[in-house]
Amino acid sequence: MLDFVQQVIGGIALGCVYGLIALGFVLIYKATEVVNFAQGEIMMLGAFLSFTFIATLGLNYWFAFLLCVISMAILGAVMERLVVRPILGYPQFSIVMATIGLGLVIRSLVGIIWGTDDLRIETPFTGGVVRVGSLVLAQDSLSIIVATGLLCVILYAFFRFTRVGIAMQATSQNMLAAYYMGIPVKRMFSLIWSLSAIVACCAGILLAPITFIHANLGFLGIKAFPAAVLGGFGSIPGALAGGITIGIVESLSGFYLPEGFKDVAAYVVLLAVLLWRPQGLFGSNALKKV
Amino acid sequence: MSAQPILRLANIESCYGPITAIRGISLDLMQGQIVAVLGANGAGKTSILKTISGVLDPLKGTIEFEGRKIQSMEPDKVVRLGISHVPEGREMFPFLSVRDNLRMGAFIRNDQKEIAADIEKMFNYFPVLRERQDQVAGQLSGGQQQMLAISRALMSRPKVLLLDEPSLGLSPLLVKEIFAIIRRLNAEEGVSILLVEQNARMALDTAHYGYVLEVGRVVMHDTCANLVKSDQVREFYLGLHGQGDHGKRR
């Protein structure tokens, strides 16, 4: 039983990271109907930046975290401006290919700048444990869960109460009407890319202590994609729920099932859920009017 | 009526890709007036409004607003200058509440108190919106959505309101109600209105001046009082018997 609970909590922590990457997919998709396949690589870039700030420059963890978030926000907007904006309005396929290309570029650049060795960072939580009865929980895992929760509250408040947040929702619901309201739609797109880069960056920094930072970290994006689909592409709570589901399933199947099941578990769950609910866990049947 | 046009289109030509929608249209909207644009489907009425609000860029011609050229300007800048567009088909933000839809209408403004006061004012014009303020806009009926679309456009405090088919899909009673409010808005708020409408009877009763469009050209323009008397308008737009020469060469 103890093992089970421990595995579940470890799974939730990993799932939160999937969920955050999936959230990045969903934010961009909802607003611009573009699937950004570079999301995993953007997350990776965030992790590498944190390595530079924390390990190389020796900055305070929290200050470094803030610096990473700011740099990624700027980089997100720059990526949108350079890669997506020029081909906006062209077929979906072109934009999707461009984001895949962007992912490859980021992966190569990371290899050139940071090399291909596995890197590690130390955080205030590294090695720390929390004991609840006979349960031993790593602080690293708990910090991921707490930080994800916090981030969700911030995002919720942002979208619900701020003028820019509501304008982002408005833009994603009806772009033409957003133009008529005087909302600078193109600037909203940049902002959404920034926001989704921030979320991905947080995922990367949170993940860094429990895995190594390496140039293939971006492939995690491929696991986060089923998380987004599972939740019903386009639903923000769905992305998190999907991520956590996949995290738990992966963690449990890695522990109880023979070697190898861990890597396919996410897709098995995805197929099973899609057979039962084609619109995903939180997806709505209502088709968006275009 | 002052003789100064607040909005002047000169020889505007616009197209969607290879399809020319409007071919050289000139049109004046006088300060404080309601001007109606009549015409059948595909005559280019909506394209005129889209060209003014910057969603469609004209190939040729100029648009002057308060003496300033605004053709090919970004849509958000046009709104900031004081032109607000109520699009055809209402174009709600379906998952935002009625109140948030109105707040988005005031996106270009920063005066929170005044915005709240303006929302109250809209609720006085359309009391049903007050009852529904916390519902999402997608749940409103067609008529209520039209009311919301008009009030949302007014939230930016425009000098010119572009109204595209406000009667579309509404019951005759609701159409009357909406048009009565359009007249009130013009009289009480002093907003100049460019009205595009298929319901010619309603439009001619409401507007001061009218333009009749056929396949992207202005074929007739006059005061509405004169247009109502014209044989062509009577026969083809009002369905009354007259001696129009529709189809013949002009």
Side-chain angles (χ1 to χ4, degrees):
Chain A
M1 188 58 206
L2 212 58
D3 282 342
F4 179 79
V5 174
Q6 216 129 15
Q7 287 302 318
V8 167
I9 290 175
I12 292 175
L14 188 62
C16 283
V17 173
Y18 291 153
L20 287 179
I21 305 171
L23 197 64
F25 277 120
V26 169
L27 284 175
I28 291 182
Y29 178 75
K30 272 188 83 158
T32 62
E33 307 211 327
V34 168
V35 179
N36 172 24
F37 280 103
Q39 203 61 40
E41 277 74 17
I42 294 176
M43 182 272 294
M44 171 180 73
L45 193 57
F48 273 101
L49 276 181
S50 76
F51 174 81
T52 299
F53 289 140
I54 296 170
T56 315
L57 299 178
L59 299 176
N60 171 281
Y61 178 74
W62 300 106
F63 182 61
F65 204 120
L66 190 69
L67 271 185
C68 283
V69 165
I70 295 170
S71 343
M72 286 308 290
I74 297 169
L75 279 175
V78 168
M79 287 177 213
E80 191 273 343
R81 191 71 192 80
L82 292 183
V83 179
V84 182
R85 182 92 56 94
I87 51 172
L88 217 59
Y90 285 90
Q92 286 282 302
F93 190 68
S94 324
I95 305 182
V96 168
M97 291 308 285
T99 66
I100 293 176
L102 177 66
L104 285 171
V105 169
I106 295 177
R107 199 176 305 157
S108 323
L109 280 179
V110 160
I112 294 167
I113 299 173
W114 283 280
T116 48
D117 292 337
D118 291 349
L119 308 173
R120 283 214 88 137
I121 53 169
E122 296 270 316
T123 72
F125 312 109
T126 306
V129 290
V130 173
R131 285 172 208 279
V132 183
S134 49
L135 210 60
V136 181
L137 302 169
Q139 279 189 10
D140 275 332
S141 301
L142 290 178
S143 74
I144 295 179
I145 299 172
V146 172
T148 305
L150 217 59
L151 198 60
C152 291
V153 172
I154 295 172
L155 280 176
Y156 175 80
F158 173 74
F159 279 115
R160 184 71 189 77
F161 300 114
T162 68
R163 191 174 77 117
V164 173
I166 299 173
M168 276 187 186
Q169 286 190 63
T171 307
S172 83
Q173 287 172 24
N174 192 333
M175 207 200 310
L176 188 65
Y179 271 120
Y180 289 140
M181 297 305 108
I183 297 172
V185 171
K186 287 171 186 163
R187 207 176 318 150
M188 286 294 145
F189 286 176
S190 295
L191 272 175
I192 283 168
W193 271 73
S194 283
L195 198 62
S196 117
I198 289 174
V199 173
C201 169
C202 292
I205 303 174
L206 292 172
L207 181 70
I210 60 168
T211 58
F212 291 104
I213 305 174
H214 54 84
N216 287 334
L217 204 57
F219 287 123
L220 225 67
I222 296 174
K223 286 232 180 91
F225 192 72
V229 177
L230 190 64
F233 224 89
S235 158
I236 288 176
L240 283 163
I244 291 172
T245 310
I246 285 182
I248 293 174
V249 168
E250 218 179 76
S251 171
L252 289 180
S253 58
F255 191 72
Y256 290 107
L257 296 177
E259 179 78 30
F261 273 94
K262 185 173 183 280
D263 295 319
V264 292
Y267 302 97
V268 173
V269 173
L270 178 65
L271 280 176
V273 169
L274 288 187
L275 281 174
W276 161 59
R277 268 181 79 85
Q279 70 272 37
L281 290 175
F282 286 68
S284 63
N285 273 321
L287 290 172
K288 181 175 170 183
K289 194 184 160 212
V290 185
Chain B
M1 213 59 65
S2 81
Q4 203 46 243
I6 185 164
L7 185 70
R8 159 168 274 175
L9 275 64
N11 286 315
I12 284 291
E13 233 170 80
S14 290
C15 63
Y16 299 95
I19 301 150
T20 309
I22 44 184
R23 314 158 185 263
I25 289 217
S26 300
L27 179 155
D28 282 349
L29 173 61
M30 298 295 169
Q31 175 85 50
Q33 275 199 340
I34 303 180
V35 166
V37 178
L38 307 176
N41 270 334
K45 306 185 299 283
T46 297
S47 310
I48 295 181
L49 298 193
K50 282 188 173 170
T51 310
I52 297 172
S53 54
V55 173
L56 202 61
D57 285 344
L59 289 176
K60 282 185 200 154
T62 56
I63 304 174
E64 265 180 51
F65 173 68
E66 296 185 313
R68 189 169 162 188
K69 293 208 169 30
I70 60 158
Q71 70 271 15
S72 309
M73 209 180 240
E74 286 291 312
D76 59 289
K77 300 222 171 71
V78 175
V79 179
R80 274 166 210 277
L81 287 179
I83 300 181
S84 198
H85 191 150
V86 182
E88 184 180 8
R90 311 185 263 272
E91 303 287 351
M92 299 285 93
F93 299 120
F95 305 114
L96 293 188
S97 69
V98 166
R99 190 171 265 278
D100 279 346
N101 264 275
L102 290 174
R103 278 204 194 108
M104 281 299 104
F107 183 83
I108 59 165
R109 294 167 53 189
N110 267 322
D111 41 349
Q112 291 308 322
K113 267 193 190 147
E114 295 276 295
I115 290 174
D118 276 7
I119 290 180
E120 268 314 300
K121 194 155 94 184
M122 293 309 145
F123 287 164
N124 289 335
Y125 273 112
F126 301 104
V128 65
L129 295 183
R130 178 180 282 124
E131 293 162 27
R132 306 254 166 161
Q133 55 177 300
D134 294 321
Q135 274 183 33
V136 296
Q139 286 175 357
L140 301 183
S141 72
Q144 291 161 355
Q145 287 191 2
Q146 188 63 59
M147 296 174 190
L148 180 54
I150 294 175
S151 10
R152 189 181 60 176
L154 288 169
M155 287 301 294
S156 66
R157 292 204 171 161
K159 294 168 194 154
V160 167
L161 189 65
L162 310 174
L163 267 175
D164 199 347
E165 301 275 8
S167 75
L168 193 78
L170 302 187
S171 71
L173 198 67
L174 262 175
V175 172
K176 265 195 186 142
E177 207 177 300
I178 296 263
F179 273 86
I181 287 184
I182 292 172
R183 274 187 289 256
R184 259 183 74 195
L185 288 171
N186 175 250
E188 292 172 18
E189 313 284 323
V191 54
S192 316
I193 298 175
L194 187 60
L195 169 70
V196 155
E197 194 41 82
Q198 291 218 28
N199 185 336
R201 164 59 66 192
M202 225 48 225
L204 289 173
D205 283 352
T206 305
H208 303 101
Y209 201 85
Y211 288 80
V212 179
L213 245 63
E214 264 171 40
V215 278
R217 285 195 180 87
V218 174
V219 290
M220 206 191 296
H221 62 98
D222 209 334
T223 62
C224 287
N226 286 340
L227 282 177
V228 174
K229 286 183 224 143
S230 125
D231 284 337
Q232 278 179 54
V233 172
R234 284 174 71 82
E235 176 158 5
F236 300 115
Y237 296 99
L238 300 177
L240 305 168
H241 286 293
Q243 265 77 53
D245 56 355
H246 195 272
K248 291 187 195 155
R249 277 190 64 166
R250 293 198 173 90

